[in-house]
Amino acid sequence: MEKLLSTLVENNVKYAVEGKVASYIPELNKADSMSLGICVTTLDGEEHCAGKYEEKFTIQSISKVITLMLAILDNGRENVFKKVGMEPTADAFNSIINLETKNPHRPLNPMINSGAIATVSLIEGENRDKIFERILKFTRKITGNPEINIDEDVYNSERKTGDRNRALAYFMKSTGIIDGDVEEVLDVYFKQCSIKANCRDISRIGAVLANNGVLPWNGERVIPGYVARIVKTIMVTCGMYDASGDIAVNVGVPCKSGVGGGILAAVPMRMGIGVFGPALDTKGNSIAGVKILEELSKELDLSIF
Ligand code: DON
C-alpha cells in the first residue's frame, strides 16, 4: 500500500502547478503550493501514508463535518434540518444568493459556509469558549490525537477578513435562522476552521465515518450509525461544493474539502483517507488532491456506486 501511495503522490504532484493556494484568508497563502501528502486508515486500524503527510494544515471546511455530527447529537436530526437544508447547490461555497431567493430562507446544506454557520449556532454550550471546547474535545476523540489545537495566526487572519461570513450570518439572524449573538457564533466558526491537523488525523475521522461511528482503533462508539450515514450522504451530495457531482462520478466516495488544501474521504466499511495539497482549483478544492483520489479510487475500486 505504501508503494502504491508513493507512486500516486509522484504521479499527481504535477497538477499542483495548475492550482493556486488560497489567498482570501491571507495567512493561508504561506503554504507551499507543491506539497502533496496522503494517509489511509483501514478499519482494522492499519495506517499507510506517503508524501508530505506529516505537514500540518488548517482543516477549514472539513470542520463542517465535525460540527454537523455534534449538532445532530445535541439537537436530533429534525431540529437541525429545520434550520439548514440537505440539498446541493451549484453555487460557490460562500455564496449569499440562495439565502434571500429561496423560501424558506434557510441555507441549502450544512457544507456551504452559510449552512455551517447555522449548524454551529445549534451546538450546545454556555458561551463561545465552552462551545469551542466541546468541538475541540470531539475532534481530539475522533482523530485519536489529544494534541489537536488551533492555528492562532490563521484564526486571527480569518477573524479579521471574514466579512463575507459576517454578511451571511447577519442575514441569517435577520431571517430567524440564527438566534443569539452573531459575533459569538462567528467566533466559534472561525476557530473550527482554524483547527490544525495532518493527513493522518483526517484519515482517522474518515475511518470513523466509514466504520459507522465506531473508532476503529479501540472499538468505542462515538456517534450512532444513523448520524454517520447522514453525514456521509451529505458529503457525497454537497461536500465538494459545486464540484460534488463531478467527484461523485470520478471518485465515488463521500468527500469533504477545505481551502487549507485538505480532503477527507470515507469509504464505507473499508477506510478513511486524508489528503493534503494546498494548491486549489477554481472551486476551492485541492487540485492535486482530487486527482490523487481519482487515481486511488480506480486502483482500489473504491466507488460506492
Ligand atoms: O469560511 C471560509 O471561507 C473558510 N474558513 C472555509 C471555507 C472552505 O474551506 C471552503 N472549502 N473548500
Side-chain angles (χ1 to χ4, degrees):
M1 180 73 107
E2 264 81 9
K3 175 91 187 64
L4 169 67
L5 296 178
S6 298
T7 308
L8 294 187
V9 169
E10 276 164 36
N11 290 353
N12 289 287
V13 71
K14 61 176 182 280
Y15 294 108
V17 294
E18 293 168 25
K20 274 207 183 85
V21 175
S23 56
Y24 78 104
I25 300 169
E27 197 61 28
L28 294 183
N29 206 17
K30 294 185 178 162
D32 172 5
S33 66
M34 294 310 288
S35 289
L36 183 62
I38 185 165
C39 269
V40 164
T41 301
T42 60
L43 296 202
D44 48 19
E46 274 183 37
E47 294 184 328
H48 308 278
C49 304
K52 300 281 177 67
Y53 66 92
E54 273 170 318
E55 237 169 77
K56 292 203 173 114
F57 53 93
T58 54
I59 64 174
Q60 297 294 333
S61 287
I62 296 173
S63 67
K64 295 168 180 173
V65 166
I66 300 168
T67 45
L68 178 59
M69 291 190 245
L70 266 185
I72 301 175
L73 288 179
D74 283 357
N75 301 275
R77 60 183 282 182
E78 274 77 25
N79 290 326
V80 171
F81 292 106
K82 255 186 229 157
K83 296 279 189 188
V84 51
M86 35 171 99
E87 299 305 332
T89 148
D91 299 304
F93 62 81
N94 57 1
S95 174
I96 197 164
I97 188 163
N98 290 313
L99 280 184
E100 185 175 28
T101 57
K102 292 270 189 308
N103 215 340
H105 298 296
R106 62 172 187 208
L108 276 169
N109 69 66
M111 300 287 118
I112 50 175
N113 288 11
S114 54
I117 295 167
T119 303
V120 76
S121 79
L122 299 173
I123 294 179
E124 284 171 9
E126 271 161 54
N127 54 44
R128 63 171 102 179
D129 293 338
K130 293 269 188 294
I131 295 168
F132 185 68
E133 252 171 51
R134 290 191 59 223
I135 296 171
L136 195 57
K137 196 166 160 212
F138 186 60
T139 308
R140 288 172 176 166
K141 181 101 192 165
I142 59 178
T143 53
N145 181 355
E147 275 160 27
I148 295 275
N149 228 317
I150 69 166
D151 182 318
E152 292 285 344
D153 295 333
V154 173
Y155 162 62
N156 284 319
S157 185
E158 191 140 354
R159 202 159 50 93
K160 278 191 208 130
T161 58
D163 294 321
R164 175 71 72 106
N165 288 323
R166 285 200 174 82
L168 295 169
Y170 278 100
F171 190 88
M172 289 190 285
K173 170 95 184 189
S174 79
T175 56
I177 294 292
I178 292 184
D179 297 323
D181 187 314
V182 175
E183 289 300 329
E184 296 251 320
V185 174
L186 283 165
D187 191 59
V188 180
Y189 173 76
F190 294 141
K191 279 198 174 135
Q192 73 175 72
C193 291
S194 308
I195 290 174
K196 221 169 17 177
N198 62 23
C199 291
R200 175 178 281 121
D201 301 317
I202 299 300
S203 74
R204 288 187 182 172
I205 302 175
V208 176
L209 287 167
N211 205 24
N212 294 325
V214 174
L215 305 181
W217 49 92
N218 66 10
E220 182 186 345
R221 175 169 291 286
V222 285
I223 52 168
Y226 84 92
V227 177
R229 185 180 57 77
I230 292 173
V231 170
K232 278 181 286 189
T233 313
I234 293 182
M235 284 166 69
V236 168
T237 53
C238 313
M240 303 296 278
Y241 310 111
D242 39 338
S244 298
D246 184 319
I247 307 290
V249 170
N250 292 310
V251 181
V253 303
C255 291
K256 180 76 206 85
S257 61
V259 289
I263 304 178
L264 158 71
V267 189
M269 302 318 293
R270 290 185 67 178
M271 64 183 72
I273 307 169
V275 176
F276 169 60
L280 308 179
D281 61 22
T282 52
K283 296 185 173 176
N285 298 319
S286 169
I287 195 159
V290 167
K291 292 284 186 196
I292 201 170
L293 280 175
E294 283 177 7
E295 221 182 320
L296 184 65
S297 176
K298 279 196 200 96
E299 285 291 328
L300 300 179
D301 195 17
L302 298 181
S303 176
I304 62 172
F305 299 105

